Amino acid sequence: MSSNAEWQEGNSKGEPGSSLHGVTGREPVFQMTMATVGEQEATDLKGRKFALPVDSEHKAKTVRLYSVAAPHMRTFHLSWIAFMICFFSTFAAPPLMPVIRDNLGLTKGDIGNAGIASVAGAVVSRLLMGTICDLVGPRYGCAILMMITAPAIFCMPLVSTPVGFILVRFFIGFCLATFVSCQFWMSSMFNSKIVGIANGTAAGWGNMGGGIVQLVMPLVFDIIRRDIGSEKFTAWRIAFFVPGVLQVMMGLLVLTLGQDLPDGNYAELKREGEKVNDSFKKVFLYAVTNYRTYIFALTYGYCFGVELTVDNIIAEYFYDRFDLNLQTAGIIASTFGLMNLFSRPLGGVLSDVVAARWGMRGRLWNLWIIQTVGGVLCIVLGLTGQLGPAIAVMLIFSFFVQAACGATFGIIPFISRRSLGIISGATGAGGNIGAVTTQGIFFMSSKYTTEDGIMLMGIMIVACTLPVIFVHFPQWGSMFLPASKATEEDYYVSEWNKEEQSNGLHHASMKFAENAKSERGRQSPPRSKGQAVGVDQL
Amino acid sequence: MEAALSSEGASVSAGAAGSCSAAAGLDCAPPLPPPRVQPNSSKSSGQIISAAASAVTRRQSTVGPRGNSFDADTTLCTTIVVFSTCSPSSYASSSVIPNELRHSRAHLLLKNGMGGGKFTVMACGVLQCVVRSLAVAALVLASTSFAEAGVLFSTLDESINVAVEIQGQNVTEGPVNRVAKVGDDRLVVSWNLNSSLMGLGVDKNYVSLKLRLCFAPISQLERGWRKTNDDLHRDKTCTIVIANQKYTTDGNSTVWRIPKNVPGATYFVRAYATDERGQQLAYGQSTDQLKTSNLITIIPISGRHVTIDIASGVFSVFSIASLIAFLASEFAQTSNR
């Protein structure tokens, strides 16, 4: 069935937003369309056997973390490490801020502006990266971005004014778009049934870079100061060569070891695209007119955006409020980011576990509860004046905030099937915009102390999570309202107008609607017109 | 005691952490052992916790000058010990997943995709472990007492006269600050007891005199990390140490070469007279009450070096050039075919 193959090949060239189809990767797949290729037959174009079991598109059906077999697992490790190093470079300045602020004579406003600049660039670059991946492939996209932003990192040792500092952080921040190439690459390599877990794990482990850097940079600074004997104001500059060199090395590794698709690179393959090109205007229109897009962009801004903000301020906060030395403040601050090792994937898993019992209503409650508890803990963190409890509260807070990120992407795939890519991209951009806004309001001027800023940020998290209450799916209900008589088909097919439906463009959405019936939860009887069409009857 | 606890805790936690990360991993663990009753492990970890808690409260915590990470070390040590409450058996606890979920679609999806529904079980086990250890950590660390409040600056007498000169420069009066360069210039700080207070016994408890370089208000603007606080334990105005001298009734002076790690700002000099325990008893400063007269502007180093600039340029060029070379060679390869 060619339309099946089209739908599964969702991220081939051409379809607008297709590059982000794998971002959430929770699109359920029909059992029978994932034709299993026997391991004897699974070879790439050069006739080499694949190390992992693959499907008919040669995408891997399982993830083996301990393997680096080409192409699938090698891709997994290359892309999450590349993303992690980009996070490392973007947040390399905050742990050294006590030294940098004295060297450059920065005021609180300068530091706040630099923090905003570091996450603002990625708003645009993330949106562009999807198109770049569509055109030249994720391997080139990732490597080119990393190696072009590396000179910005090497410019940091040359900075001597506040304006220079802000500009350099702005340009370094562009490399956060490797998130998109990472997710795109995974969805080219891993089958839809497991790409969600692969993507969630890679995203979580990549975000860990924001934690690792808080450990590493003060250590490197200390080694340079003690063992090489540099002055403080020189040592931090030398320390910046570490993220720069790492990024260049990783870019080269991606270029040499990476591979766009299981069968080879874009340039080497003859692309057989019998794709139906969707109209960008329509896809954009349906994304923009769906109110849920805006609600989730806002709420993601107050989980991922808060995570980015805290990455920027937390080391300095512990250094100043609790009189710690740089290394100790760095170690404590790093635990925030390191929780990503399991908290983001767990958030997604929790969403799935809750949905199995209560469906989409469960997912919405799950997200609301996790993010609101995160907000409350943020308020508590701002009010905690003792070091020990502050660390404990921060750890629990980090778990909830990062789990909320994972939980958000458990809901996104169900908002729209046609405009999934753009909605995912908008959500991601909303995360960065949330970071920009939060830092601008609470951490820029001396109007609020940092602890007051953290407390007010917590209040804002709780307030900005309330809109989840208003997300209503006619076929599943919302947090407080039950489902109406509408069905999943009504909802997803309504994205296509009569003319498009008569051309049969909506078939993929119909299949998606059938699979999405899982979001009803465990006990609801089928409500579709006539008999429920079982999976095995199609 | 501390070291023994932390090494034991660290080795236990290393084991636990190893199984933690294996448990959170995907498609890599062998089948889980059946759930074990854990009274033994919790009892031993309870003993560790109580021992750690008593060690923590016994320790005198002080807010020392920068570099004294007393409380932080204690905190980290206790945290390591607390995390050792995660025993591998918690992951095997099958009570976490209700039976109906085992056969759920999500569970089966994960199972088929991941080579084992054990992922969900492990995930919930990790969650349980995390929440438990964090709760214990919060309890233990809450018992960490914190520093007692310090002397209030407003209670101190200004009984010391302090004068500061830049060596080699003439003393100038006027609105413009005097300027000194780090590394090159030296400050000559001289102090003595206020002549009107001589012989009155005001200074009978003064044991030592601490000379500090302090930020003037103009350099504290928009910089909360240099804020003035009446509580001297929290005051951040005077963090740069010039000298610690023994107190003598005749006064003393010192020549201080400005070190290269002094930030560029406007300063004045303050002297604290302290008793044998280090408590401040009196002060003197080289400026007036409003801290606006007689200030010194210090010019810092930039921290930049020619070698760093050159290295920076070389690495940047290498990055761009190697990218272009790579792309060119791949383009040539594909166009040759």
Side-chain angles (χ1 to χ4, degrees):
Chain A
M1 292 156 78
S2 65
S3 41
N4 271 359
E6 273 168 31
W7 178 61
Q8 265 208 261
E9 204 173 294
N11 45 13
S12 307
K13 252 202 271 197
E15 188 178 274
S18 60
S19 59
L20 282 173
H21 262 297
V23 171
T24 60
R26 291 178 184 284
E27 300 143 41
V29 178
F30 273 147
Q31 287 280 17
M32 51 180 273
T33 60
M34 186 172 80
T36 305
V37 181
E39 292 218 24
Q40 291 77 15
E41 304 159 37
T43 58
D44 63 11
L45 287 186
K46 297 197 181 121
R48 296 172 299 206
K49 222 170 76 145
F50 288 117
L52 269 65
V54 295
D55 64 10
S56 55
E57 287 182 299
H58 293 174
K59 295 186 183 179
K61 283 170 20 192
T62 175
V63 179
R64 284 193 202 138
L65 285 184
Y66 48 79
S67 149
V68 283
H72 308 98
M73 288 320 300
R74 193 173 289 182
T75 298
F76 178 85
H77 291 298
L78 278 176
S79 61
W80 82 258
I81 294 178
F83 181 42
M84 192 200 74
I85 287 180
C86 289
F87 240 90
F88 189 99
S89 311
T90 307
F91 294 104
L96 297 179
M97 201 57 84
V99 177
I100 300 177
R101 70 190 180 193
D102 276 343
N103 191 185
L104 304 179
L106 301 176
T107 63
K108 187 162 180 187
D110 294 328
I111 298 175
N113 275 327
I116 291 176
S118 66
V119 294
V123 172
V124 171
S125 65
R126 280 188 176 195
L127 294 172
L128 288 177
M129 187 59 144
T131 317
I132 295 174
C133 284
D134 276 328
L135 293 174
V136 299
R139 185 178 69 113
Y140 277 166
C142 176
I144 290 174
L145 182 64
M146 288 180 83
M147 296 183 76
I148 286 188
T149 45
I153 305 175
F154 292 122
C155 281
M156 186 64 101
L158 310 179
V159 155
S160 49
T161 60
V163 171
F165 183 65
I166 294 171
L167 276 177
V168 169
R169 284 206 76 189
F170 175 70
F171 286 116
I172 297 177
F174 278 98
C175 68
L176 282 182
T178 38
F179 168 73
V180 176
S181 72
C182 173
Q183 308 273 290
F184 182 101
W185 213 351
M186 301 291 215
S187 49
S188 312
M189 287 285 177
F190 292 95
N191 179 272
S192 318
K193 286 178 79 174
I194 55 157
V195 72
I197 302 243
N199 270 336
T201 309
W205 290 1
N207 285 6
M208 259 198 332
I212 293 175
V213 73
Q214 316 258 9
L215 267 176
V216 170
M217 289 301 273
L219 276 177
V220 169
F221 170 77
D222 203 40
I223 291 173
I224 295 173
R225 211 162 47 102
R226 265 180 318 142
D227 299 334
I228 305 184
S230 303
E231 287 296 331
K232 255 188 357 182
F233 294 162
T234 305
W236 77 265
R237 294 169 188 276
I238 302 176
F240 257 87
F241 281 90
V242 169
V245 166
L246 279 175
Q247 193 152 313
V248 172
M249 268 174 33
M250 203 58 215
L252 287 174
L253 276 177
V254 164
L255 277 176
T256 48
L257 296 177
Q259 188 177 307
D260 289 313
L261 293 166
D263 293 327
N265 286 320
Y266 271 30
E268 295 167 9
L269 298 175
K270 201 168 64 164
R271 311 240 354 142
E272 295 168 39
E274 287 145 4
K275 274 295 315 153
V276 176
N277 277 340
D278 203 347
S279 138
F280 177 77
K281 215 169 58 145
K282 283 281 171 58
V283 169
F284 186 76
L285 185 72
Y286 283 112
V288 161
T289 52
N290 193 329
Y291 71 94
R292 301 171 193 86
T293 310
Y294 301 99
I295 292 183
F296 284 108
L298 175 67
T299 57
Y300 197 61
Y302 281 92
C303 56
F304 185 61
V306 162
E307 188 184 333
L308 293 178
T309 303
V310 173
D311 276 337
N312 261 330
I313 60 151
I314 196 73
E316 214 181 338
Y317 174 68
F318 275 99
Y319 181 89
D320 287 331
R321 190 163 190 201
F322 300 104
D323 276 327
L324 306 173
N325 66 18
L326 210 64
Q327 283 72 39
T328 314
I331 293 174
I332 296 173
S334 71
T335 53
F336 178 84
L338 288 174
M339 290 287 283
N340 260 308
L341 178 68
F342 51 81
S343 43
R344 188 171 172 141
L346 267 182
V349 166
L350 266 174
S351 186
D352 286 338
V353 162
V354 164
R357 175 75 170 79
W358 290 292
M360 176 55 70
R361 295 183 78 183
R363 286 194 198 267
L364 292 170
W365 273 102
N366 175 59
L367 172 64
W368 184 80
I369 289 173
I370 291 181
Q371 197 158 320
T372 304
V373 170
V376 166
L377 286 165
C378 189
I379 298 173
V380 171
L381 178 63
L383 296 172
T384 308
Q386 316 287 59
L387 176 64
I391 297 176
V393 171
M394 184 197 70
L395 285 174
I396 308 177
F397 162 62
S398 77
F399 174 81
F400 279 94
V401 128
Q402 290 154 8
C405 295
T408 307
F409 274 96
I411 300 178
I412 301 284
F414 298 102
I415 299 178
S416 158
R417 200 265 153 200
R418 190 176 185 183
S419 310
L420 174 57
I422 295 198
I423 293 180
S424 302
T427 307
N432 279 65
I433 294 175
V436 165
T437 320
T438 312
Q439 286 178 89
I441 301 177
F442 299 124
F443 298 104
M444 272 276 286
S445 65
S446 296
K447 195 162 118 191
Y448 304 114
T449 58
T450 310
E451 52 262 31
D452 284 344
I454 293 178
M455 188 199 69
L456 292 169
M457 181 168 75
I459 296 178
M460 192 122 178
I461 295 174
V462 174
C464 291
T465 311
L466 285 174
V468 173
I469 295 176
F470 301 115
V471 174
H472 180 78
F473 290 93
Q475 68 275 30
W476 298 316
S478 65
M479 276 169 69
F480 292 111
L481 298 172
S484 66
K485 294 260 190 303
T487 66
E488 289 81 358
E489 284 86 2
D490 296 336
Y491 182 79
Y492 289 111
V493 167
S494 65
E495 294 177 330
W496 306 88
N497 64 25
K498 282 277 176 287
E499 193 191 317
E500 291 161 335
Q501 287 184 36
S502 64
N503 284 338
L505 295 176
H506 65 297
H507 286 309
S509 289
M510 287 279 287
K511 293 192 189 66
F512 182 78
E514 179 58 38
N515 266 343
K517 286 194 181 9
S518 64
E519 293 308 302
R520 291 190 189 175
R522 202 163 52 97
Q523 284 159 347
S524 333
R527 271 183 284 110
S528 55
K529 310 172 177 73
Q531 288 288 331
V533 179
V535 165
D536 44 290
Q537 286 170 357
L538 270 172
Chain B
M1 170 74 176
E2 248 23 68
L5 265 181
S6 52
S7 62
E8 176 187 332
S11 57
V12 173
S13 75
S19 49
C20 258
S21 50
L26 311 164
D27 194 20
C28 56
L32 298 166
R36 280 184 280 141
V37 177
Q38 343 165 11
N40 287 337
S41 56
S42 59
K43 186 172 161 208
S44 59
S45 33
Q47 282 173 343
I48 297 174
I49 301 303
S50 54
S54 54
V56 160
T57 46
R58 247 185 286 128
R59 195 167 197 160
Q60 291 248 289
S61 54
T62 51
V63 178
R66 186 81 58 216
N68 181 354
S69 51
F70 244 359
D71 289 290
D73 289 337
T74 312
T75 306
L76 286 172
C77 164
T78 327
T79 315
I80 291 174
V81 166
V82 160
F83 268 83
S84 66
T85 58
C86 286
S87 55
S89 60
S90 67
Y91 310 130
S93 152
S94 54
S95 60
V96 174
I97 308 282
N99 277 328
E100 58 253 30
L101 277 183
R102 287 189 178 286
H103 303 289
S104 71
R105 190 195 170 92
H107 200 73
L108 287 170
L109 266 175
L110 289 168
K111 191 172 169 155
N112 286 335
M114 295 314 308
K118 12 185 209 298
F119 179 72
T120 315
V121 175
M122 278 180 219
C124 291
V126 168
L127 179 60
Q128 194 188 39
C129 163
V130 163
V131 171
R132 252 192 5 206
S133 43
L134 288 174
V136 180
L139 279 171
V140 173
L141 298 170
S143 64
T144 308
S145 64
F146 224 64
E148 61 278 8
V151 177
L152 294 181
F153 183 71
S154 45
T155 61
L156 297 181
D157 296 322
E158 192 176 359
S159 50
I160 313 275
N161 291 338
V162 177
V164 59
E165 280 174 23
I166 304 176
Q167 200 177 52
Q169 290 186 15
N170 293 327
V171 177
T172 50
E173 294 293 334
V176 180
N177 294 338
R178 292 170 288 168
V179 172
K181 274 205 199 138
V182 303
D184 294 335
D185 286 327
R186 289 170 169 77
L187 293 183
V188 183
V189 180
S190 40
W191 58 272
N192 53 30
L193 184 65
N194 199 337
S195 47
S196 59
L197 298 172
M198 288 259 198
L200 293 177
V202 173
D203 56 350
K204 62 181 188 311
N205 286 329
Y206 297 175
V207 169
S208 58
L209 199 99
K210 298 184 178 167
L211 291 167
R212 297 281 182 269
L213 193 67
C214 308
F215 293 105
I218 186 142
S219 289
Q220 293 176 304
L221 212 57
E222 291 285 320
R223 294 179 177 95
W225 53 91
R226 294 177 184 169
K227 212 163 105 164
T228 300
N229 192 320
D230 204 31
D231 179 352
L232 283 177
H233 263 172
R234 295 175 160 186
D235 182 45
K236 304 272 177 70
T237 326
C238 302
T239 50
I240 302 174
V241 176
I242 297 177
N244 292 332
Q245 295 186 315
K246 268 194 164 36
Y247 176 78
T248 62
T249 32
D250 302 327
N252 207 338
S253 75
T254 183
V255 178
W256 183 60
R257 185 178 189 164
I258 309 177
K260 289 193 179 169
N261 58 11
V262 171
T266 307
Y267 297 91
F268 62 95
V269 175
R270 184 178 284 172
Y272 287 112
T274 60
D275 63 12
E276 67 272 359
R277 282 180 303 142
Q279 288 257 18
Q280 297 88 345
L281 300 172
Y283 79 98
Q285 58 193 27
S286 65
T287 180
D288 57 10
Q289 279 292 338
L290 292 173
K291 299 183 266 186
T292 49
S293 71
N294 211 14
L295 301 172
I296 302 172
T297 303
I298 292 187
I299 313 271
I301 55 166
S302 72
R304 290 176 58 177
H305 278 279
V306 177
T307 38
I308 297 181
D309 295 351
I310 294 176
S312 197
V314 165
F315 277 104
S316 303
V317 168
F318 171 75
S319 176
I320 303 285
S322 60
L323 177 69
I324 294 177
F326 211 99
L327 293 176
S329 78
E330 286 212 345
F331 182 70
Q333 267 181 1
T334 50
S335 60
N336 278 346
R337 290 204 192 147

